[in-house]
């Protein structure tokens, strides 16, 4: 379909101090939206400022990638956080990133949970409500309601939509899916698709056909406006370029959703 449009997003700024994980500069030449770590699972003020400056310079949308407070576990450990506390921490992370986005002449354009929080709010209504409350609290410094990026069919998107926040469904070309359209947990050996050719084919299938192959081999419907290409895998930037090229060849226009 020649009129198909999709956004490419990546998790960026996932370093801390002298430690770096993602090739931010290379990926910002490919993606249209940057999910910037806000200091709770990765990232620090200098890294946040640098990524925001690069993103603004290249016209890439800046998104707040919010997380449980779990720097040691990279935000991938299940945690029990009281809803009010979680809402405050979400607002805090968004506000911190907005400072650096504004300094770069841009702004925070959307919010995406990370890791364990992302998976938790697929089915946990209370935690989803807490995340949405945090997004609403940050709205005063973000020029109004922020779009929420998440898994199709998740409680997060349902709750956000219920209070009037824009929602954006996303999919993952390099993550394995269950037959129900959810992601295989990271602890599972089959959670990540490592074959570059398979990742590229899955990206095109998601964008053009709205479907992906689940671990059992059956096709699963996946309607997404944004496609995540992970930045913490070896050769991530080169793979992202190949994905973008394959999308263009398939008649898919790559364009930010905001």
């Amino acid at each position: 379909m020649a009129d198909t449009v999709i956004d490419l997003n990546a998790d960026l700024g996932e370093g801390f101090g002298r430690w770096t994980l993602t090739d931010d500069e290379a990926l910002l030449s490919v993606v249209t939206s940057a999910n910037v770590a806000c200091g709770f699972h990765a990232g620090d003020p200098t890294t946040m400022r640098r990524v925001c400056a690069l993103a603004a310079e290249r016209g890439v949308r800046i998104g707040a990638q919010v997380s449980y407070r779990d720097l040691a576990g990279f935000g991938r450990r299940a945690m029990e956080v009281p809803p009010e506390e979680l809402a405050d921490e979400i607002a805090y992370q968004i506000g911190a990133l907005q400072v650096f986005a504004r300094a770069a002449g841009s702004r925070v354009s959307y919010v995406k949970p990370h890791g364990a929080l992302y998976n938790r709010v697929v089915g946990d209504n209370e935690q989803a409500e807490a995340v949405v409350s945090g997004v609403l609290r940050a709205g005063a410094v973000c020029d109004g309601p922020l779009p929420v990026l998440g898994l199709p069919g998740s409680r997060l998107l349902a709750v956000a939509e219920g209070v009037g926040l824009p929602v954006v469904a996303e999919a993952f070309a390099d993550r394995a899916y269950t037959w129900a359209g959810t992601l295989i947990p990271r602890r599972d050996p089959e959670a990540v698709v490592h074959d570059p050719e398979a990742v590229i084919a899955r990206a095109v299938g998601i964008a053009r056909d709205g479907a992906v192959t689940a671990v059992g081999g059956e096709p699963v419907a996946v309607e997404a406006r944004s496609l995540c290409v992970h930045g913490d895998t070896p050769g991530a930037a080169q793979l992202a370029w190949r994905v973008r090229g394959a999308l263009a060849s398939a008649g898919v226009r790559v364009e930010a959703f905001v």
Side-chain angles (χ1 to χ4, degrees), residues 1-5 200-201 203-209 242-254:
M1 295 181 291
D3 61 345
T4 300
V5 182
I200 293 166
V204 172
I206 290 167
R208 189 184 59 193
D209 306 321
R242 293 185 63 194
V243 166
R244 183 157 183 166
L247 290 170
S249 297
V252 178
R253 189 167 77 252
V254 177

mmCIF file of all heavy atoms in Angstrom, residues 1-5 200-201 203-209 242-254:
data_model
loop_
_atom_site.group_PDB
_atom_site.id
_atom_site.type_symbol
_atom_site.label_atom_id
_atom_site.label_comp_id
_atom_site.label_asym_id
_atom_site.label_seq_id
_atom_site.Cartn_x
_atom_site.Cartn_y
_atom_site.Cartn_z
ATOM 1 N N MET A 1 0.841 -1.190 0.000
ATOM 2 C CA MET A 1 0.000 0.000 0.000
ATOM 3 C C MET A 1 0.879 1.243 0.000
ATOM 4 O O MET A 1 1.644 1.483 0.930
ATOM 5 C CB MET A 1 -0.911 -0.002 1.222
ATOM 6 C CG MET A 1 -1.917 -1.138 1.241
ATOM 7 S SD MET A 1 -2.994 -1.073 2.717
ATOM 8 C CE MET A 1 -1.804 -1.486 3.998
ATOM 9 N N ALA A 2 0.784 2.046 -1.062
ATOM 10 C CA ALA A 2 1.674 3.180 -1.233
ATOM 11 C C ALA A 2 1.452 4.275 -0.198
ATOM 12 O O ALA A 2 2.334 5.079 0.061
ATOM 13 C CB ALA A 2 1.500 3.763 -2.636
ATOM 14 N N ASP A 3 0.265 4.325 0.413
ATOM 15 C CA ASP A 3 -0.033 5.381 1.367
ATOM 16 C C ASP A 3 0.246 4.971 2.809
ATOM 17 O O ASP A 3 -0.117 5.683 3.736
ATOM 18 C CB ASP A 3 -1.485 5.823 1.220
ATOM 19 C CG ASP A 3 -2.469 4.688 1.485
ATOM 20 O OD1 ASP A 3 -2.041 3.527 1.495
ATOM 21 O OD2 ASP A 3 -3.667 4.981 1.676
ATOM 22 N N THR A 4 0.906 3.845 3.021
ATOM 23 C CA THR A 4 1.215 3.386 4.368
ATOM 24 C C THR A 4 2.316 4.262 4.977
ATOM 25 O O THR A 4 3.322 4.556 4.343
ATOM 26 C CB THR A 4 1.680 1.922 4.351
ATOM 27 O OG1 THR A 4 0.642 1.116 3.801
ATOM 28 C CG2 THR A 4 1.992 1.435 5.759
ATOM 29 N N VAL A 5 2.097 4.684 6.217
ATOM 30 C CA VAL A 5 3.059 5.536 6.920
ATOM 31 C C VAL A 5 3.373 4.904 8.268
ATOM 32 O O VAL A 5 2.483 4.402 8.951
ATOM 33 C CB VAL A 5 2.481 6.953 7.142
ATOM 34 C CG1 VAL A 5 3.517 7.848 7.822
ATOM 35 C CG2 VAL A 5 2.017 7.572 5.838
ATOM 36 N N ILE A 200 14.157 -7.537 9.376
ATOM 37 C CA ILE A 200 13.753 -6.682 8.250
ATOM 38 C C ILE A 200 12.428 -7.154 7.668
ATOM 39 O O ILE A 200 11.523 -6.349 7.408
ATOM 40 C CB ILE A 200 14.863 -6.674 7.176
ATOM 41 C CG1 ILE A 200 16.110 -5.960 7.726
ATOM 42 C CG2 ILE A 200 14.374 -5.998 5.900
ATOM 43 C CD1 ILE A 200 17.357 -6.175 6.902
ATOM 44 N N ALA A 201 12.304 -8.455 7.466
ATOM 45 C CA ALA A 201 11.063 -9.002 6.910
ATOM 46 C C ALA A 201 9.882 -8.748 7.839
ATOM 47 O O ALA A 201 8.777 -8.414 7.396
ATOM 48 C CB ALA A 201 11.226 -10.499 6.648
ATOM 49 N N ALA A 203 9.612 -6.295 9.994
ATOM 50 C CA ALA A 203 9.319 -4.861 9.978
ATOM 51 C C ALA A 203 8.404 -4.514 8.807
ATOM 52 O O ALA A 203 7.415 -3.780 8.959
ATOM 53 C CB ALA A 203 10.617 -4.055 9.899
ATOM 54 N N VAL A 204 8.733 -5.024 7.639
ATOM 55 C CA VAL A 204 7.920 -4.765 6.450
ATOM 56 C C VAL A 204 6.530 -5.378 6.619
ATOM 57 O O VAL A 204 5.510 -4.761 6.272
ATOM 58 C CB VAL A 204 8.612 -5.306 5.191
ATOM 59 C CG1 VAL A 204 7.686 -5.213 3.976
ATOM 60 C CG2 VAL A 204 9.908 -4.539 4.929
ATOM 61 N N GLY A 205 6.471 -6.595 7.158
ATOM 62 C CA GLY A 205 5.187 -7.257 7.362
ATOM 63 C C GLY A 205 4.288 -6.502 8.321
ATOM 64 O O GLY A 205 3.077 -6.390 8.109
ATOM 65 N N ILE A 206 4.874 -5.959 9.382
ATOM 66 C CA ILE A 206 4.099 -5.183 10.358
ATOM 67 C C ILE A 206 3.572 -3.911 9.706
ATOM 68 O O ILE A 206 2.390 -3.574 9.834
ATOM 69 C CB ILE A 206 4.964 -4.854 11.585
ATOM 70 C CG1 ILE A 206 5.237 -6.119 12.408
ATOM 71 C CG2 ILE A 206 4.279 -3.799 12.452
ATOM 72 C CD1 ILE A 206 6.323 -5.948 13.462
ATOM 73 N N ALA A 207 4.453 -3.190 9.029
ATOM 74 C CA ALA A 207 4.072 -1.900 8.457
ATOM 75 C C ALA A 207 3.102 -2.032 7.293
ATOM 76 O O ALA A 207 2.117 -1.287 7.200
ATOM 77 C CB ALA A 207 5.331 -1.151 8.006
ATOM 78 N N ARG A 208 3.361 -2.987 6.408
ATOM 79 C CA ARG A 208 2.565 -3.085 5.178
ATOM 80 C C ARG A 208 1.334 -3.966 5.342
ATOM 81 O O ARG A 208 0.260 -3.659 4.808
ATOM 82 C CB ARG A 208 3.443 -3.631 4.052
ATOM 83 C CG ARG A 208 2.797 -3.587 2.670
ATOM 84 C CD ARG A 208 3.702 -4.235 1.653
ATOM 85 N NE ARG A 208 3.993 -5.631 2.011
ATOM 86 C CZ ARG A 208 4.946 -6.368 1.442
ATOM 87 N NH1 ARG A 208 5.724 -5.832 0.513
ATOM 88 N NH2 ARG A 208 5.136 -7.621 1.803
ATOM 89 N N ASP A 209 1.477 -5.063 6.084
ATOM 90 C CA ASP A 209 0.392 -6.046 6.168
ATOM 91 C C ASP A 209 -0.310 -6.077 7.521
ATOM 92 O O ASP A 209 -1.318 -6.760 7.676
ATOM 93 C CB ASP A 209 0.938 -7.449 5.855
ATOM 94 C CG ASP A 209 1.675 -7.488 4.525
ATOM 95 O OD1 ASP A 209 1.213 -6.827 3.570
ATOM 96 O OD2 ASP A 209 2.718 -8.176 4.446
ATOM 97 N N ARG A 242 18.923 -0.529 7.369
ATOM 98 C CA ARG A 242 18.414 -1.552 6.457
ATOM 99 C C ARG A 242 16.897 -1.675 6.563
ATOM 100 O O ARG A 242 16.202 -1.853 5.565
ATOM 101 C CB ARG A 242 19.089 -2.888 6.741
ATOM 102 C CG ARG A 242 20.575 -2.912 6.419
ATOM 103 C CD ARG A 242 21.156 -4.308 6.610
ATOM 104 N NE ARG A 242 20.542 -5.257 5.691
ATOM 105 C CZ ARG A 242 20.649 -6.574 5.806
ATOM 106 N NH1 ARG A 242 21.319 -7.100 6.810
ATOM 107 N NH2 ARG A 242 20.072 -7.375 4.928
ATOM 108 N N VAL A 243 16.394 -1.569 7.798
ATOM 109 C CA VAL A 243 14.941 -1.617 7.998
ATOM 110 C C VAL A 243 14.286 -0.438 7.280
ATOM 111 O O VAL A 243 13.291 -0.605 6.567
ATOM 112 C CB VAL A 243 14.599 -1.590 9.501
ATOM 113 C CG1 VAL A 243 13.118 -1.281 9.713
ATOM 114 C CG2 VAL A 243 14.953 -2.922 10.149
ATOM 115 N N ARG A 244 14.840 0.735 7.447
ATOM 116 C CA ARG A 244 14.261 1.919 6.808
ATOM 117 C C ARG A 244 14.296 1.803 5.283
ATOM 118 O O ARG A 244 13.330 2.163 4.605
ATOM 119 C CB ARG A 244 14.987 3.185 7.270
ATOM 120 C CG ARG A 244 14.391 4.449 6.700
ATOM 121 C CD ARG A 244 14.685 5.666 7.513
ATOM 122 N NE ARG A 244 14.006 6.823 6.932
ATOM 123 C CZ ARG A 244 13.839 7.980 7.545
ATOM 124 N NH1 ARG A 244 14.288 8.148 8.780
ATOM 125 N NH2 ARG A 244 13.223 8.985 6.944
ATOM 126 N N GLY A 245 15.391 1.289 4.759
ATOM 127 C CA GLY A 245 15.483 1.101 3.315
ATOM 128 C C GLY A 245 14.473 0.093 2.802
ATOM 129 O O GLY A 245 13.860 0.288 1.745
ATOM 130 N N ALA A 246 14.289 -1.004 3.550
ATOM 131 C CA ALA A 246 13.329 -2.027 3.147
ATOM 132 C C ALA A 246 11.910 -1.488 3.184
ATOM 133 O O ALA A 246 11.081 -1.810 2.321
ATOM 134 C CB ALA A 246 13.458 -3.252 4.045
ATOM 135 N N LEU A 247 11.613 -0.666 4.174
ATOM 136 C CA LEU A 247 10.286 -0.057 4.259
ATOM 137 C C LEU A 247 10.029 0.841 3.050
ATOM 138 O O LEU A 247 8.950 0.806 2.447
ATOM 139 C CB LEU A 247 10.157 0.748 5.555
ATOM 140 C CG LEU A 247 10.106 -0.061 6.850
ATOM 141 C CD1 LEU A 247 10.234 0.865 8.063
ATOM 142 C CD2 LEU A 247 8.814 -0.875 6.941
ATOM 143 N N ALA A 248 11.023 1.642 2.697
ATOM 144 C CA ALA A 248 10.881 2.527 1.538
ATOM 145 C C ALA A 248 10.657 1.714 0.269
ATOM 146 O O ALA A 248 9.810 2.067 -0.568
ATOM 147 C CB ALA A 248 12.114 3.411 1.399
ATOM 148 N N SER A 249 11.404 0.629 0.113
ATOM 149 C CA SER A 249 11.260 -0.223 -1.073
ATOM 150 C C SER A 249 9.892 -0.878 -1.139
ATOM 151 O O SER A 249 9.397 -1.191 -2.228
ATOM 152 C CB SER A 249 12.350 -1.305 -1.071
ATOM 153 O OG SER A 249 13.637 -0.723 -1.166
ATOM 154 N N ALA A 250 9.270 -1.071 0.031
ATOM 155 C CA ALA A 250 7.944 -1.697 0.090
ATOM 156 C C ALA A 250 6.820 -0.662 -0.025
ATOM 157 O O ALA A 250 5.645 -1.008 0.125
ATOM 158 C CB ALA A 250 7.801 -2.487 1.386
ATOM 159 N N GLY A 251 7.194 0.586 -0.268
ATOM 160 C CA GLY A 251 6.182 1.625 -0.416
ATOM 161 C C GLY A 251 5.676 2.192 0.891
ATOM 162 O O GLY A 251 4.591 2.785 0.931
ATOM 163 N N VAL A 252 6.460 2.031 1.954
ATOM 164 C CA VAL A 252 6.068 2.541 3.262
ATOM 165 C C VAL A 252 6.823 3.839 3.536
ATOM 166 O O VAL A 252 8.058 3.866 3.479
ATOM 167 C CB VAL A 252 6.365 1.524 4.373
ATOM 168 C CG1 VAL A 252 6.002 2.100 5.747
ATOM 169 C CG2 VAL A 252 5.633 0.211 4.125
ATOM 170 N N ARG A 253 6.107 4.908 3.851
ATOM 171 C CA ARG A 253 6.724 6.191 4.161
ATOM 172 C C ARG A 253 7.049 6.242 5.650
ATOM 173 O O ARG A 253 6.190 5.979 6.487
ATOM 174 C CB ARG A 253 5.794 7.336 3.773
ATOM 175 C CG ARG A 253 6.457 8.713 3.865
ATOM 176 C CD ARG A 253 5.617 9.786 3.184
ATOM 177 N NE ARG A 253 4.477 10.206 3.999
ATOM 178 C CZ ARG A 253 3.221 9.915 3.743
ATOM 179 N NH1 ARG A 253 2.902 9.161 2.687
ATOM 180 N NH2 ARG A 253 2.252 10.359 4.518
ATOM 181 N N VAL A 254 8.283 6.578 5.969
ATOM 182 C CA VAL A 254 8.704 6.676 7.364
ATOM 183 C C VAL A 254 8.565 8.126 7.812
ATOM 184 O O VAL A 254 9.197 9.025 7.257
ATOM 185 C CB VAL A 254 10.156 6.195 7.539
ATOM 186 C CG1 VAL A 254 10.609 6.385 8.992
ATOM 187 C CG2 VAL A 254 10.289 4.733 7.130
#
